[in-house]
Amino acid sequence: MAQVNIGKAPGNSAVLPFYATGAVMFFVLCVLMVFSPESFTRHYFTPHLLAMVHVAALGWGTMIIFGAAHQLLPVICEQDLYSEKMASFVWYTLTLGMILLTTNFWNLTVGWLMIAGGSLIVISASLYLFNVLKTSRICKKYSIQKLFLTSSAVWLLFTVIVGLLLAINLKFPFFKQSHLEILKLHAHAGFAGWFLQLITGVSTKLVPMFLLGKSSKDYLLKWAFIFQNVGLVLFLADGYFIGVSSRVLIYTAIVLIGVVFWLLYLYDTFKNRLRKRIELLMKHAFLSFLALVLSILLLPAVYFSSGYRWTMLYGTLLFMGWITSIILGKTFKTLPFIIWNDHYKNLSGKVKVPLPKDLYSEKLTIWQFRIFIAAFLVFALGIILQQVIVIRIGAMLWVVVAVLYNINVFKLMFHKRNKTS
C-alpha cells in the first residue's frame, strides 16, 4: 500500500482555545435569545439581533471552525500546520474583536470601539488565510478539499472586510448604495462563501472517514465548487452594481445546484460505506444538510414577501439548523481524538487505555440530540406564528442544549489521565 504522509497534529494551543470559547459563546448566544425573543419578530437591522447574529457567526460558528480547521489542515494537506503560534494569535484577535463588536452592536454604540472590533476580526481572518495558504503551498498534491478550504478562507476575508466597511459606514457614511443592501451581500458572502465552502470541503474528508465509505466521483466536487462560486459571484456583482432583483432566483438555483453536487458525493459515500450502523452524531450531520437545503428553497420568500418572519426563519435554518447541527455532531467526532492523542497516543499498545468515545458522555449526546430537535421545532414555530412566548420557550430549550454541549466539551477539556494508564 502506498505510504501516506500525514502532517503532525498541531499543539493544543492552536486548537483547544477555539473549542472552549466556541462552547461558551454558544451558551451566551442561547441566553441572549431568551432575554430578547422579541428581536425575532422585528426588522433584522436591530441592535440585539445584530449582536446575536455576530455571536452566532463569529463566536460560535467561526470559532469552532477555526479550531477544527487547524487540526484538519495537516490531514488534508499532508503537511504540518505552517505556524502554530499564528493559529494561537488568531484566537486572541478573533475573541477580542468579537467581544468588542458584539457588545457595541447590543448597545448600538457606533464609533471607534466597533471599528476596532471589526479591524481585529479582519486581522484574524488575514492570519488564518495566510496560514492556510502557506500550509497548502507546502503540499504539492492536489486535492479538491484543499481548494475548498483555501477558497473559503478567501471568502471569509472578503466577508469581514465588507463587515468592517459597514461598521465604518455607520460612523462615517460613504456607501452610495443602501447600507441594508450591502448588509445582505455581506451576510451571503459569509454563508455561501465562508461557511458553505468550508463545510463542503471538510465534510467530504470527515464523512467518508467516519462512515468508512468512499466515493470515486470526485468530479461531483469539482462541479460543486464551480457552481457554488459562480452563483455567489453573480449574486454579489449583480447586487452591488444593479441591486437585488428577481435574478436572485437564478443565482440561488446555481448555488443550489452546487449544493446538490456536494450532497450527491456524500450520498455516494453513504451507499459505499462499510459501517452500516448510522451513529447518533452522524444524524446531526444529516439534519444539518436538510436545514441547508430548506433554507435555500426559502430564499424566494425571504426576498419577495412582506414582513420579516421568513427572513428570521431563513436565518434560524442556517445558524441553528445547518451550522449548529453539524458542529454539535462533529465536535464529538473530532475533539475526543484530539484529547486522546494528547493523553494516550504514546501509551497505545503498551497499557490498557480508554477509547476516545470513553472520554465524554454518550448519554448526554443522546439528550443533546433529542432536545436539539425540540428546540429547533419550537423556536421555528414561534417565528412562523410570530409569538414571543413560543420563541422564548424555544430559546430556553436551546439553553438546555448549550448546557449539555458545554458539560461534555469541558469534560473532555479537563480529562485527566488515569494513573494506571
Side-chain angles (χ1 to χ4, degrees):
M1 192 169 79
Q3 182 71 24
V4 178
N5 178 30
I6 300 296
K8 183 180 70 175
N12 285 352
S13 63
V15 178
L16 295 188
F18 292 97
Y19 277 97
T21 308
V24 171
M25 295 314 298
F26 178 42
F27 175 75
V28 170
L29 168 65
C30 297
V31 170
L32 292 177
M33 288 160 57
V34 171
F35 282 102
S36 191
E38 66 281 351
S39 297
F40 298 92
T41 63
R42 300 173 180 170
H43 192 279
Y44 54 85
F45 193 74
T46 57
H48 288 183
L49 190 64
L50 283 172
M52 287 186 280
V53 165
H54 284 84
V55 169
L58 298 171
W60 171 227
T62 298
M63 193 70 70
I64 296 290
I65 287 172
F66 271 2
H70 289 143
Q71 182 72 20
L72 290 170
L73 269 169
V75 177
I76 291 173
C77 295
E78 301 181 358
Q79 292 290 340
D80 295 353
L81 186 68
Y82 173 72
S83 174
E84 292 183 20
K85 290 183 178 179
M86 189 178 296
S88 299
F89 190 70
V90 163
W91 176 81
Y92 287 103
T93 52
L94 177 61
T95 302
L96 181 56
M98 179 268 303
I99 292 171
L100 283 174
L101 196 65
T102 54
T103 53
N104 280 278
F105 272 140
W106 186 263
N107 300 310
L108 201 59
T109 309
V110 175
W112 289 109
L113 282 178
M114 182 184 289
I115 294 170
S119 300
L120 285 168
I121 291 166
V122 169
I123 292 171
S124 181
S126 300
L127 293 175
Y128 171 74
L129 173 60
F130 185 77
N131 222 352
V132 169
L133 290 174
K134 293 294 284 187
T135 305
S136 301
R137 190 176 177 184
I138 298 170
C139 173
K140 302 298 182 184
K141 182 181 176 183
Y142 165 81
S143 79
I144 190 67
Q145 287 83 10
K146 185 174 76 171
L147 186 60
F148 269 111
L149 257 70
T150 304
S151 173
S152 68
V154 172
W155 278 116
L156 171 63
L157 182 58
F158 173 84
T159 301
V160 297
I161 287 174
V162 174
L164 174 58
L165 294 176
L166 284 166
I168 295 171
N169 189 66
L170 287 174
K171 178 68 175 176
F172 309 103
F174 66 94
F175 278 137
K176 294 180 180 179
Q177 291 86 347
S178 163
H179 187 95
L180 294 181
E181 290 302 310
I182 300 295
L183 184 62
K184 291 178 184 177
L185 304 182
H186 163 68
H188 286 93
F191 284 136
W194 164 231
F195 286 119
L196 177 59
Q197 293 185 38
L198 187 285
I199 291 172
T200 300
V202 168
S203 66
T204 54
K205 189 74 175 181
L206 290 184
V207 171
M209 189 187 303
F210 297 142
L211 290 178
L212 299 179
K214 188 177 181 181
S215 174
S216 58
K217 299 178 179 180
D218 283 352
Y219 68 88
L220 291 173
L221 295 182
K222 293 177 183 177
W223 283 112
F225 181 83
I226 292 169
F227 277 93
Q228 287 179 20
N229 278 283
V230 168
L232 178 57
V233 169
L234 290 175
F235 169 76
L236 294 176
D238 200 358
Y240 182 79
F241 292 107
I242 301 175
V244 177
S245 66
S246 59
R247 288 186 296 275
V248 71
L249 299 178
I250 299 173
Y251 311 138
T252 299
I254 294 172
V255 173
L256 180 58
I257 291 169
V259 170
V260 169
F261 277 123
W262 161 45
L263 296 180
L264 284 174
Y265 178 89
L266 292 181
Y267 177 69
D268 191 54
T269 301
F270 178 80
K271 281 199 310 180
N272 297 311
R273 73 194 188 280
L274 295 177
R275 181 173 286 160
K276 299 302 180 184
R277 178 175 169 268
I278 304 300
E279 296 175 310
L280 178 76
L281 295 174
M282 289 304 299
K283 293 178 182 178
H284 261 303
F286 298 143
L287 283 181
S288 78
F289 302 149
L290 175 61
L292 173 62
V293 172
L294 289 175
S295 68
I296 295 174
L297 294 176
L298 193 63
L299 262 175
V302 171
Y303 276 95
F304 303 114
S305 65
S306 59
Y308 307 111
R309 75 178 67 195
W310 302 121
T311 301
M312 297 302 167
L313 182 60
Y314 172 69
T316 300
L317 281 164
L318 287 172
F319 279 122
M320 309 309 289
W322 174 42
I323 295 171
T324 294
S325 186
I326 202 163
I327 290 176
L328 291 177
K330 289 294 185 286
T331 294
F332 301 109
K333 299 295 287 183
T334 56
L335 188 57
F337 285 95
I338 296 169
I339 302 297
W340 186 91
N341 272 330
D342 186 52
H343 287 78
Y344 301 107
K345 185 178 180 180
N346 297 328
L347 296 175
S348 184
K350 300 176 184 177
V351 295
K352 186 178 180 180
V353 298
L355 295 172
K357 68 178 183 177
D358 297 327
L359 306 186
Y360 67 95
S361 170
E362 287 190 277
K363 184 178 289 185
L364 285 183
T365 62
I366 294 172
W367 281 106
Q368 173 189 283
F369 182 74
R370 291 170 178 169
I371 300 173
F372 162 80
I373 294 174
F376 181 83
L377 291 177
V378 173
F379 195 78
L381 178 64
I383 289 174
I384 293 170
L385 298 177
Q386 293 288 277
Q387 292 294 319
V388 172
I389 185 63
V390 180
I391 295 173
R392 178 169 269 135
I393 293 170
M396 292 170 71
L397 288 171
W398 277 119
V399 171
V400 177
V401 175
V403 168
L404 295 177
Y405 178 80
N406 270 266
I407 290 172
N408 249 344
V409 165
F410 285 99
K411 178 182 173 69
L412 282 163
M413 295 282 186
F414 294 122
H415 175 76
K416 299 291 184 182
R417 193 169 71 194
N418 196 315
K419 292 182 179 180
T420 60
S421 297

